[in-house]
Amino acid sequence: MHVTMTVNGDEVERDIEPRVLLVHFLRENLGLTGTHWGCDTSNCGTCVVQIDGEPVKSCTVLAAMADGHAVRTVEGLEVAGTVDPIQQGFMEEHGLQCGFCTPGMMLTARALLDENPHPSEGEIREAISGQICRCTGYATIVRSIQWAADHPAETADSTLEDEDVKA
Amino acid sequence: MTIVDDPQTRPGGDYEHGRDHEHNPSADAPERPIGFGRLQRKEDPRFVRGQGNYTDDVVLPGMLHGAILRSPVAHARIVSIDTSEALARPGVRAVLTGKDLEPLKLAWIPTLSYDVQAVLATDKVRFQGQEVAFVIADDRYAARDALELIRVDYDILPPVIDVRHALDAGAPIIRDDLEGRTNNHIADWDCGDSVATDAAFAKADVVLKQEIVYPRVHPAPMETCGSVADFNRVSGELTLYVTSQAPHAHRTVIAMVSGIPEHKIRVISPDIGGGFGNKVGIYPGYVLSIVGSIVTGHPVKWMEDRSENLMSTSFARDYIMTGEIAATKDGKLLGIRASVLADHGAFNGVAQPTKFPAGFFNLFPGSYTWEAVYGKVTSVYTNKAPGGVAYACSFRVTEAVYLVERMIDRLAIELNMDPAELRLKNFIKPEQFPYDNKAGFEYDSGQYEKTMRHAMDLIGYDELRKEQAEKRSRGELMGIGISFFTEGVGAGPRKHMDILGLGMADGAELRIHPTGKAVVRISVQSQGQAHETTFAQIVAEEIGIPPEDIEVVHGDTDQTPFGLGTYGSRSTPVSGAAVAMVTRKVRDKARLIAAAMLETRPEDLEWEKGRWFVKGDPSAGKTIQEIALAAHGTMELPEGVDGNLDAEVTYDPPNLTYPYGAYFCVTDIDRGTGKVTVRRFLAVDDCGTRINPMVIEGQVHGGLTDGVGMALMELIEFDSDGNNLGGSFMDYLIPTAMEVPDWETGFTVTPSPHHPIGAKGIGESATVGSPPAIVNSVIDALRPLGVTAMDMPCTPARVWDAMQGHATPPI
């Protein structure tokens, strides 16, 4: 089948098997390997991407279901050579070790901060509770997200959101 | 206490103890330390951009995909396998069975414990999830589709699942492939002095016996295991991208197994999405991807799915332990016995040094002085997945520490004594180091009482006990649990320690380029431990080149010197020492060149970080960058220096290092549901010299979370038919951000006297130390209900049973 979607601001079109999962479409058809796969059961969240700004587990979404929507992956967080505050926060506060869960964590966190710019610790923990990190013990991920909340980007975010909406 | 001799590496006096991350460390941190200190990771910029390169990200031209058909049953004879339908399916290139591997002598491969393991089953299947056939197809989906079309006829056999009955007369013989095998026994091992221990017990006022089960759990890194094999039929060269914690050891083993000469094999372990011991073993899937590439002439990728990971790759623990403790009535420890029944699964694939069939269980006497100790371990086969000694455990230290720390608390209950006081009364004292633990290991250094009291201050121990008393008077269940652990890490001295005959030393090479930038090549492999940062910091500390000017190369056997890899917290103790030593070798060479440049004698020069200068005339000196340029330039070099500024070493550690810590856990238990909440957890660690406090804190946090998982949630359970009941993340529960508290950490610094920079290793401390603190806390909370023991995992249902007086072992 034929799918058309916007990925990180670029329109992409592909012919695919109807059963192809979005995570495999992103990784294997588009070569965007920053989105990872970690379980078969929607428990681990290493595959989280945003569809129209909402975090979703891309192992549980058919690529066909993303047809006509805007997908944002970790590769789309950095804009014009400037990292998103959430990326900076993870570096500042040691929010990652092996890096495997990190893209999914950052996309969930970005969506949280877009909706709630000043979340409490409890709100942050709840937001990432559908995702597993085996390395960090979560406290530094919480601090990373708090860092990003304390250091919002001036304009980059709003610009990107506008682009997403247009797409 | 002994401290390292070199003032360059000695920690400052104000660095001896403290609390990590008091408020905002980034605000206080010095700008980019040249050496030890908090430093952002060099790895992070690629990971936060999604530019990590993990094994499944590797795509080669013409690459095919493999998938493994696995046994649905635990024990069965294979009557027939029909692959014809699968082979006929479009997109399928080949289907391999054990029979195809036999002529290649690849149906069986050696395990890390001198047993053999089936790559693809030929005669029988021996655990649920065992590898039976391998499909190679054009893409991932096609390979999986074809698995459904393979017909296997099994003749079901009774399985051995309950380890307590594995040695019964009449038990089914699992390993009838081994000649003359008449039972399921693997090995017996003991340590200590049984006669002296009997004597110590004979004079005790109090003797207690307790069964303590450390059930089977799984490391479950977020990235599963996999490989991409690329065999070049013309050159005979194999390139293997693989999720490997030990690329050099894997290359050697693959050469032995495959017959491909070692110099024709390149093992690349790219970014690794967590290891925790799961990526130490050689799995059938790796071998199958190699065979697949040889057979098809294409690169072949194999990545397991999560269920395959949980059901077939290295598990951890599975020790049924019986502890016995003897003491005087005023709490003086006299003797301890440990007797263990160890479930090694269907093949003895335990990863441990050859002469240590029970790993370093020798550490079961813990951090205390005893008159005598005695431990014994019997290992057996069962119809379960093979592996063992994984999950951040320092070769069975986890089990050993769990045993002794549970027994100490059990004794404290019996004596009606405070468990902190009981520990303080019996600690090994600083002046007793180096200390023979009476079970064969010599601890290097420790200030146990100081660390314990620091932890008690940080957590507010006395206040907590008061709060607990108030809550108990109201009927609330609050527990305070303590664990004080001593680990033995950094395996190890090559005359004592090897894996498959490979001595456990590690190499390092350092090259300073003409412009003063450096490349250090190491034999260990990071799975998230930040080697690219911390090893650069070791070089920086030793030679004064900023860490950003130092590249750390690892994970590629063509690019790095030989060494045994990263597991058992051995990277900093062994490879970190190698890096310090190679840097000092370069520094010595630089001294000769500097002397020639300054027209003086080397012995007249003095080192300060980054430069050699003339004693008494600090203005006359040469920086390491100036020396590097001169070493590559046209000046006449002094005798003994043949140009360039580089060196290589192999470091053979003289002993293990012995990090330790004091852990405190505060839990609340819901009386209505049995749900345990970890309200506070404090870890005070002493890992010797601290290279990067931020990274240390991260390592500790991760291990504590592992501990919460094992203590409260994680369990690989089997039904009586041998069905794995923990085979997905729906069933094998791992802590999320909701189950863990905001960790509290602190530290003391007692350098290792025999390590070049005094560092001891930190990677596994928290995984070792936290489970007993949590379980002791749960038992402490349940004390008003008469509970004195309970086994992990402390799930609501199991805690509820314990509250009703029906605590049962998980296996």
Side-chain angles (χ1 to χ4, degrees):
Chain A
M1 69 178 290
H2 192 75
V3 291
T4 306
M5 66 186 80
T6 304
V7 178
N8 300 326
D10 296 331
E11 187 169 291
V12 298
E13 285 185 62
R14 291 289 190 281
D15 286 312
I16 56 166
E17 279 191 75
R19 62 173 172 169
V20 168
L21 297 172
L22 181 59
V23 63
H24 289 143
F25 179 76
L26 293 170
R27 288 180 53 80
E28 293 175 13
N29 295 62
L30 304 185
L32 295 172
T33 55
T35 301
H36 298 141
W37 168 92
C39 73
D40 311 288
T41 49
S42 295
N43 292 95
C44 80
T46 60
C47 63
V48 166
V49 300
Q50 290 179 0
I51 296 183
D52 302 333
E54 288 289 321
V56 299
K57 289 175 176 170
S58 64
C59 77
T60 318
V61 176
L62 294 169
M65 295 160 71
D67 186 45
H69 294 274
V71 177
R72 189 183 194 188
T73 70
V74 63
E75 289 89 348
L77 281 173
E78 183 178 7
V79 177
T82 305
V83 294
D84 188 279
I86 197 68
Q87 294 172 298
Q88 191 63 38
F90 271 70
M91 292 192 282
E92 295 284 344
E93 295 293 345
H94 193 28
L96 68 154
Q97 290 181 27
C98 81
F100 204 75
C101 76
T102 312
M105 288 285 182
M106 291 192 303
L107 285 156
T108 296
R110 181 70 266 153
L112 169 71
L113 294 180
D114 287 347
E115 190 171 306
N116 177 0
H118 302 290
S120 67
E121 181 186 335
E123 287 169 332
I124 292 172
R125 285 182 180 269
E126 193 173 339
I128 60 170
S129 66
Q131 286 161 263
I132 298 173
C133 171
R134 209 62 167 136
C135 297
T136 65
Y138 303 105
T140 56
I141 293 179
V142 172
R143 291 177 200 159
S144 301
I145 297 169
Q146 288 169 333
W147 190 98
D150 293 342
H151 300 80
E154 292 298 321
T155 55
D157 278 344
S158 51
T159 309
L160 192 81
E161 274 169 17
D162 291 346
E163 283 173 9
D164 278 353
V165 170
K166 273 183 251 163
Chain B
M1 181 188 111
T2 316
I3 56 171
V4 285
D5 299 328
D6 186 346
Q8 303 296 334
T9 61
R10 191 181 299 155
D14 59 347
Y15 192 59
E16 283 212 323
H17 63 85
R19 182 194 280 267
D20 290 312
H21 202 90
E22 284 192 296
H23 44 288
N24 182 357
S26 44
D28 298 341
E31 287 287 311
R32 290 190 163 275
I34 299 178
F36 300 157
R38 188 185 204 275
L39 180 67
Q40 272 185 35
R41 303 194 328 158
K42 291 158 71 84
E43 293 89 340
D44 288 352
R46 70 172 183 272
F47 287 136
V48 299
R49 289 171 171 83
Q51 290 180 13
N53 184 35
Y54 303 90
T55 299
D56 200 21
D57 300 343
V58 173
V59 176
L60 301 178
M63 187 175 78
L64 304 174
H65 293 259
I68 293 174
L69 180 74
R70 295 176 180 277
S71 170
V73 294
H75 200 193
R77 197 160 296 284
I78 296 174
V79 179
S80 64
I81 305 177
D82 180 357
T83 60
S84 55
E85 211 180 325
L87 264 173
R89 189 179 173 86
V92 173
R93 301 294 187 99
V95 181
L96 301 173
T97 67
K99 288 218 180 333
D100 301 317
L101 299 182
E102 274 178 329
L104 305 170
K105 296 193 168 62
L106 279 172
W108 295 80
I109 55 171
T111 70
L112 297 178
S113 285
Y114 293 94
D115 193 357
V116 290
Q117 169 175 6
V119 175
L120 290 175
T122 51
D123 53 342
K124 292 201 302 187
V125 289
R126 293 175 170 83
F127 66 93
Q128 187 190 44
Q130 187 178 338
E131 297 80 2
V132 175
F134 187 62
V135 171
I136 302 157
D138 288 344
D139 67 57
R140 196 185 294 268
Y141 286 35
R144 293 267 162 172
D145 288 343
L147 294 183
E148 310 269 325
L149 304 175
I150 300 172
R151 309 284 171 226
V152 186
D153 187 6
Y154 294 105
D155 179 13
I156 307 286
L157 300 169
V160 178
I161 302 303
D162 184 346
V163 65
R164 296 168 209 264
H165 294 294
L167 296 178
D168 286 358
I173 310 301
I174 298 165
R175 295 302 303 279
D176 45 0
D177 58 297
L178 301 173
E179 209 172 307
R181 175 62 59 172
T182 57
N183 58 35
N184 296 316
H185 182 261
I186 297 176
D188 292 319
W189 167 92
D190 71 351
C191 67
D193 185 333
S194 68
V195 175
T197 306
D198 290 347
F201 271 70
K203 63 182 178 188
D205 301 320
V206 182
V207 172
L208 289 168
K209 186 174 184 176
Q210 178 69 49
E211 182 181 272
I212 294 173
V213 177
Y214 212 135
R216 179 176 284 229
V217 289
H218 198 280
M222 297 318 299
E223 179 204 33
T224 58
C225 301
S227 54
V228 180
D230 184 12
F231 182 75
N232 185 318
R233 285 175 171 175
V234 177
S235 65
E237 288 170 333
L238 169 70
T239 305
L240 183 71
Y241 301 84
V242 61
T243 50
S244 171
Q245 297 180 218
H248 288 278
H250 281 184
R251 182 183 58 181
T252 303
V253 175
I254 286 162
M256 292 170 173
V257 167
S258 68
I260 301 169
E262 195 167 4
H263 69 291
K264 296 273 193 185
I265 301 175
R266 177 181 186 184
V267 172
I268 298 173
S269 185
D271 287 322
I272 300 294
F276 316 108
N278 193 216
K279 293 164 181 170
V280 173
I282 301 274
Y283 295 121
Y286 302 162
V287 178
L288 290 167
S289 68
I290 297 169
V291 178
S293 185
I294 293 171
V295 168
T296 63
H298 288 261
V300 171
K301 176 186 282 187
W302 166 74
M303 284 302 300
E304 63 186 5
D305 66 26
R306 178 56 62 190
S307 290
E308 293 180 284
N309 177 254
L310 287 168
M311 292 174 71
S312 73
T313 60
S314 273
F315 69 93
R317 326 291 187 250
D318 224 340
Y319 258 32
I320 295 182
M321 306 185 276
T322 301
E324 294 173 86
I325 192 167
T328 65
K329 59 180 180 298
D330 60 348
K332 170 80 187 129
L333 299 177
L334 297 174
I336 185 165
R337 290 194 196 104
S339 173
V340 180
L341 181 60
D343 186 342
H344 283 203
F347 306 105
N348 186 24
V350 167
Q352 58 204 356
T354 302
K355 293 172 193 159
F356 298 83
F360 299 162
F361 193 74
N362 310 59
L363 286 160
F364 78 93
S367 314
Y368 314 102
T369 56
W370 309 86
E371 290 193 1
V373 306
Y374 180 66
K376 59 177 181 175
V377 177
T378 295
S379 51
V380 300
Y381 291 117
T382 62
N383 287 113
K384 300 176 193 168
V389 194
Y391 204 167
C393 79
S394 300
F395 304 119
R396 302 291 189 197
V397 177
T398 320
E399 291 91 325
V401 164
Y402 186 66
L403 176 99
V404 65
E405 290 305 296
R406 284 281 312 278
M407 290 307 293
I408 293 288
D409 259 40
R410 182 72 188 80
L411 178 66
I413 293 170
E414 188 71 17
L415 296 172
N416 198 25
M417 197 169 169
D418 184 284
E421 186 191 337
L422 179 59
R423 287 175 171 84
L424 284 164
K425 193 180 172 82
N426 289 284
F427 277 144
I428 300 162
K429 294 181 171 46
E431 61 273 19
Q432 290 177 280
F433 291 91
Y435 182 80
D436 174 355
N437 83 339
K438 296 191 166 70
F441 279 41
E442 188 181 274
Y443 300 173
D444 56 355
S445 61
Q447 304 177 84
Y448 293 168
E449 180 176 343
K450 174 182 168 181
T451 306
M452 182 72 169
R453 291 200 185 280
H454 183 49
M456 291 169 73
D457 287 345
L458 288 181
I459 194 97
Y461 186 68
D462 295 339
E463 288 304 309
L464 280 175
R465 286 290 176 201
K466 277 182 207 154
E467 180 194 343
Q468 183 185 41
E470 285 166 25
K471 290 204 161 147
R472 278 184 178 168
S473 70
R474 296 199 297 269
E476 293 175 36
L477 301 176
M478 168 186 163
I480 304 162
I482 303 171
S483 154
F484 195 100
F485 67 91
T486 297
E487 257 206 302
V489 306
R494 65 197 304 170
K495 68 180 172 184
H496 300 303
M497 295 181 189
D498 69 272
I499 290 182
L500 290 180
L502 302 172
M504 299 184 79
D506 278 83
E509 294 174 8
L510 176 63
R511 193 168 296 168
I512 316 280
H513 295 312
T515 55
K517 316 291 184 189
V519 173
V520 62
R521 298 168 191 277
I522 59 176
S523 54
V524 294
Q525 164 65 345
S526 170
Q527 310 115 45
Q529 296 94 332
H531 291 166
E532 290 165 38
T533 307
T534 55
F535 281 60
Q537 289 185 271
I538 295 173
V539 175
E541 179 74 27
E542 293 291 335
I543 207 154
I545 296 173
E548 59 265 31
D549 290 347
I550 301 162
E551 195 70 16
V552 177
V553 178
H554 61 136
D556 181 344
T557 55
D558 270 12
Q559 300 277 337
T560 57
F562 188 86
L564 274 229
T566 296
Y567 42 86
S569 261
R570 65 188 301 283
S571 289
T572 298
V574 188
S575 185
V579 168
M581 297 305 279
V582 80
T583 312
R584 288 175 192 178
K585 204 167 169 181
V586 167
R587 200 169 73 198
D588 290 344
K589 192 170 174 180
R591 182 183 202 163
L592 300 178
I593 298 165
M597 293 167 79
L598 293 162
E599 296 178 346
T600 183
R601 298 177 309 169
E603 53 269 36
D604 292 333
L605 295 181
E606 198 170 320
W607 174 257
E608 67 177 350
K609 197 185 275 187
R611 69 194 282 268
W612 285 106
F613 67 93
V614 179
K615 282 178 191 166
D617 183 8
S619 65
K622 293 291 177 188
T623 67
I624 194 70
Q625 290 83 0
E626 290 168 333
I627 297 166
L629 188 57
H632 293 85
T634 57
M635 72 174 276
E636 190 175 336
L637 292 166
E639 207 176 310
V641 178
D642 54 5
N644 300 349
L645 191 53
D646 51 21
E648 60 179 277
V649 302
T650 300
Y651 183 77
D652 179 20
N655 188 6
L656 301 180
T657 58
Y658 294 84
Y660 66 92
Y663 285 9
F664 285 72
C665 176
V666 181
T667 56
D668 297 305
I669 297 180
D670 185 324
R671 265 196 114 109
T673 63
K675 182 176 186 293
V676 178
T677 301
V678 177
R679 191 207 316 164
R680 290 182 68 188
F681 199 109
L682 168 71
V684 175
D685 276 284
D686 193 321
C687 61
T689 301
R690 293 156 59 84
I691 297 166
N692 184 331
M694 178 190 83
V695 170
I696 291 171
E697 190 191 21
Q699 292 285 297
V700 171
H701 284 193
L704 297 176
T705 307
D706 290 349
V708 167
M710 290 182 285
L712 302 184
M713 303 163 73
E714 297 177 26
L715 176 66
I716 297 287
E717 197 177 8
F718 295 84
D719 71 11
S720 57
D721 291 330
N723 292 308
N724 187 323
L725 305 180
S728 80
F729 279 166
M730 303 290 275
D731 305 298
Y732 190 75
L733 301 184
I734 289 173
T736 72
M738 303 301 279
E739 284 81 37
V740 296
D742 191 12
W743 307 109
E744 301 168 56
T745 55
F747 60 89
T748 59
V749 178
T750 311
S752 170
H754 64 75
H755 188 277
I757 60 171
K760 288 186 170 188
I762 189 66
E764 301 180 339
S765 288
T767 313
V768 169
S770 56
I774 299 165
V775 177
N776 282 340
S777 182
V778 170
I779 294 169
D780 188 51
L782 299 177
R783 281 293 299 126
L785 304 175
V787 174
T788 57
M790 118 153 252
D791 286 315
M792 298 182 280
C794 300
T795 60
R798 293 176 46 75
V799 170
W800 177 262
D801 284 345
M803 289 166 70
Q804 315 310 314
H806 307 306
T808 51
I811 48 174

